[in-house]
């Protein structure tokens, strides 16, 4: 009960204090001038991100890595990687089992899956374009 009395007193004090504050009138173009100031601040404080490692450095690192792999060292006639020759003559001996003969799919299911895939492709393209436009605004 005592807490309610203090809350009521505080509420009465706040109402009295707020009534005593003079109301200020804003200028006619207050919103426009405020928005202009915000736009000017945004132009000043635009933070542009830069890559930690530039594209030139990545290219140089890739060239060095490739050189280590494929360029032979002094005194050796071979590079670091020995290219293995694989004989593919065994492929004609492998018989693929007829796994898909036992599976039967109805036409409705097939067309539903086909339509679902088509709609997913359209959605991905649409969302990609939507977010690219949003990022460039």
């Amino acid at each position: 009960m005592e807490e309610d009395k203090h809350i009521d007193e505080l509420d009465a004090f706040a109402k009295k204090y707020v009534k005593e504050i003079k109301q200020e009138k804003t200028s006619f173009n207050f919103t426009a001038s405020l928005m202009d100031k915000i736009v000017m601040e945004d132009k000043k404080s635009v933070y542009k991100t830069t890559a930690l490692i530039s594209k030139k450095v990545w290219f140089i690192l890739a060239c060095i890595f490739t050189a280590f792999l494929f360029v032979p060292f002094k005194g050796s006639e071979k590079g670091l990687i020995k290219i293995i020759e694989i004989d593919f003559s065994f492929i004609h001996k492998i018989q693929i089992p007829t796994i898909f003969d036992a599976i039967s799919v109805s036409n409705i299911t097939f067309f539903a899956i086909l339509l679902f895939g088509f709609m997913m492709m359209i959605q991905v393209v649409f969302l990609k374009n939507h977010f690219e436009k949003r990022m460039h605004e």
Side-chain angles (χ1 to χ4, degrees):
M1 282 297 219
E2 186 128 345
E3 289 181 14
D4 289 338
K5 183 179 178 185
H6 290 297
I7 290 174
D8 290 339
E9 289 175 3
L10 185 61
D11 189 39
F13 174 75
K15 284 181 183 178
K16 180 182 175 186
Y17 182 72
V18 168
K19 285 181 183 178
E20 292 176 3
I21 297 174
K22 293 181 183 177
Q23 287 186 345
E24 296 180 9
K25 299 278 183 177
T26 59
S27 64
F28 176 71
N29 61 351
F30 173 75
T31 305
S33 64
L34 181 64
M35 293 306 290
D36 289 340
K37 288 179 182 178
I38 290 172
V39 167
M40 294 302 279
E41 286 294 321
D42 281 347
K43 288 182 181 177
K44 290 178 186 175
S45 64
V46 171
Y47 178 73
K48 295 187 179 184
T49 59
T50 57
L52 186 61
I53 301 174
S54 68
K55 290 181 181 181
K56 290 179 184 179
V57 174
W58 278 115
F59 180 72
I60 292 169
L61 289 173
C63 289
I64 291 171
F65 181 73
T66 305
F68 274 125
L69 290 178
F70 295 110
V71 176
F73 292 106
K74 290 182 182 179
S76 68
E77 295 183 13
K78 295 183 179 180
L80 290 177
I81 297 176
K82 181 179 179 182
I83 299 174
I84 301 169
E85 293 182 23
I86 301 173
D87 182 23
F88 289 106
S89 63
F90 64 91
I91 290 180
H92 71 279
K93 296 177 184 176
I94 299 174
Q95 295 180 356
I96 298 173
T98 55
I99 297 172
F100 299 110
D101 289 344
I103 298 174
S104 64
V105 178
S106 68
N107 285 341
I108 294 174
T109 306
F110 174 72
F111 286 121
I113 292 171
L114 190 68
L115 180 66
F116 177 74
F118 179 70
M119 295 304 281
M120 284 295 291
M121 294 289 284
I122 289 174
Q123 186 176 10
V124 166
V125 170
F126 174 75
L127 287 174
K128 179 180 175 271
N129 289 336
H130 172 73
F131 286 116
E132 281 183 357
K133 286 178 185 176
R134 201 166 126 191
M135 291 295 289
H136 293 294
E137 288 180 356

